[in-house]
Amino acid sequence: MVNQSDLPFRILVRQYDASLVYTQMLLPERLLNDTEYLEFHRRGLHDTPDAPVVVQLCGNDPEVVVRAARTVVDKADAIDLNLGCPQDAAGEGHYGGYLLEKKDWPLVESIVSALSHSLPVPVSTKIRLCQNTALTSDLGVRLEAAGSSWITLHARHVSARRRRQGAADLEQVRVLKETVGVPVVSNGNVRTWEDVQANRKMTGADGVMVGETLLANPCLFANVTPDPVKISLEYLEVCREHPGTATMQTIQTHVRHFVDHHCSRRSWFNKFRAALGRCDTIDAIEKLLRVKVQRWRGLPPLSDGDIDDLEEGTTDEDGGGPEARDVIARYGENAASSGDVDEALAGLSILS
């Protein structure tokens, strides 16, 4: 979710029943040494529109990670240590998913312990499967002991070349859940609301985290399939309400994902992508959507009064009610002690 978990997008998915959202993974060294980077990401951490929000950090130096966390903790409801990033940069910098080897566990434990003892908010961890899959639950036990208030498992191995590496091994989420005493969040294999339900039933996890699927359908947790133009316009409006919290490139990418989800095979899609790339303002993107994209879809231009009905299809009446929207059943007795995060984890659906 690099450069995709901006404030406007987090607000958008919160409006459609995601109950807890994460920032993108922030780099500690840049938070400490790059004033512009720090100011931009602090500006994207407001007190109410997307709260509760978890700030995600990486790193391999306990002191540096703690110092970086202190630059944003006043605007965070929790801090997450990313131990799952598979990108080449993480391998080169020795952080993220490249800290999962057993030889690095003492280092990981020291970072989690330093964070949990230094900050006034809960600390969580997001991991992938260890190279020796059977060791994953052992790592979970050690993370819990070090102070991780909950653990998210993306049940795939680290691979910079093939991020997904086939289907996630959700059985390992179930094993982790049965092994540790803190809440466990399952990540992987979700494309629809029905997948969310099936994931929880199979794993027994306390919550389900969804990343890339939300880029295409930010209304997933409301069990709604939105019209691509109307959800794009809604996102643009949130961007206007919170200027300076998303770059033009990020805004363009979100709109492309929304339209791609429904229209990537249409004859005009490549023309749309080229036109979107030429837009340099929110107004230009809005005009493209309201007029040209509508025309390419064989529909009349949209006026302000035409976007009230967001939904493209119909909501499953058996799956879209309040019960269906509670993606986590309950936060167990061993949960972290933060009111806002506790409440969110009582019905959790996560962006990361």
Side-chain angles (χ1 to χ4, degrees), residues 7 9 25 32 40 45-46 98 112 120 163-164 189 250 269 282 289-292 295-296 343:
L7 176 65
F9 186 69
M25 182 180 70
L32 294 171
F40 177 80
L45 290 169
H46 285 213
Y98 298 91
V112 174
R163 285 182 301 160
R164 293 190 180 85
N189 296 356
T250 294
F269 184 71
I282 292 177
L289 292 164
R290 288 184 181 273
V291 179
K292 287 188 176 181
R295 185 174 71 236
W296 292 333
E343 184 175 351

Side-chain angles (χ1 to χ4, degrees), residues 169-179 202-204:
D169 184 359
L170 297 181
E171 172 65 15
Q172 299 306 316
V173 179
R174 185 189 64 77
V175 172
L176 179 63
K177 173 61 182 172
E178 293 176 351
T179 304
M202 176 181 178
T203 64

Side-chain angles (χ1 to χ4, degrees), residues 6-16 21 49-50 238 242:
D6 51 289
L7 176 65
F9 186 69
R10 298 196 306 265
I11 293 172
L12 184 68
V13 297
R14 287 281 287 121
Q15 290 173 346
Y16 289 99
V21 292
D50 64 335
V238 182
H242 301 278

Side-chain angles (χ1 to χ4, degrees), residues 279-311:
C279 294
D280 57 3
T281 65
I282 292 177
D283 288 344
I285 298 175
E286 179 173 357
K287 184 176 180 180
L288 171 64
L289 292 164
R290 288 184 181 273
V291 179
K292 287 188 176 181
V293 174
Q294 284 294 93
R295 185 174 71 236
W296 292 333
R297 297 168 76 198
L299 298 171
L302 279 177
S303 65
D304 289 342
D306 291 331
I307 65 172
D308 294 336
D309 184 11
L310 175 75
E311 191 175 350

Side-chain angles (χ1 to χ4, degrees), residues 181-226:
V182 293
V184 170
V185 177
S186 178
N187 183 204
N189 296 356
V190 170
R191 292 292 177 268
T192 66
W193 171 250
E194 289 71 26
D195 291 338
V196 172
Q197 297 171 306
N199 190 310
R200 287 205 58 223
K201 183 177 180 180
M202 176 181 178
T203 64
D206 301 279
V208 174
M209 173 181 281
V210 179
E212 291 188 10
T213 297
L214 281 183
L215 296 178
N217 180 9
C219 308
L220 172 72
F221 287 111
N223 194 20
V224 168
T225 300

Side-chain angles (χ1 to χ4, degrees), residues 1-61:
M1 299 293 289
V2 176
N3 297 327
Q4 294 296 284
S5 193
D6 51 289
L7 176 65
F9 186 69
R10 298 196 306 265
I11 293 172
L12 184 68
V13 297
R14 287 281 287 121
Q15 290 173 346
Y16 289 99
D17 292 353
S19 54
L20 182 65
V21 292
Y22 286 51
T23 68
Q24 68 179 52
M25 182 180 70
L26 304 183
L27 303 174
E29 290 79 7
R30 292 198 65 185
L31 287 173
L32 294 171
N33 300 313
D34 185 335
T35 302
E36 186 176 345
Y37 182 87
L38 173 63
E39 290 178 352
F40 177 80
H41 288 291
R42 280 186 58 85
R43 188 162 60 245
L45 290 169
H46 285 213
D47 295 329
T48 54
D50 64 335
V53 61
V54 181
V55 174
Q56 187 175 177
L57 301 176
C58 60
N60 58 21
D61 183 319

Side-chain angles (χ1 to χ4, degrees), residues 123-136:
V123 173
S124 64
T125 48
K126 181 173 188 282
I127 65 175
R128 286 188 177 230
L129 297 175
C130 295
Q131 198 60 41
N132 180 346
T133 302
L135 292 178
T136 305

Side-chain angles (χ1 to χ4, degrees), residues 88 155 170 205 209 211-212 235 237 251 293 308 333 342:
D88 284 333
L170 297 181
M209 173 181 281
E212 291 188 10
Y235 170 69
E237 185 56 33
I251 295 170
V293 174
D308 294 336
E333 293 180 358
D342 281 350

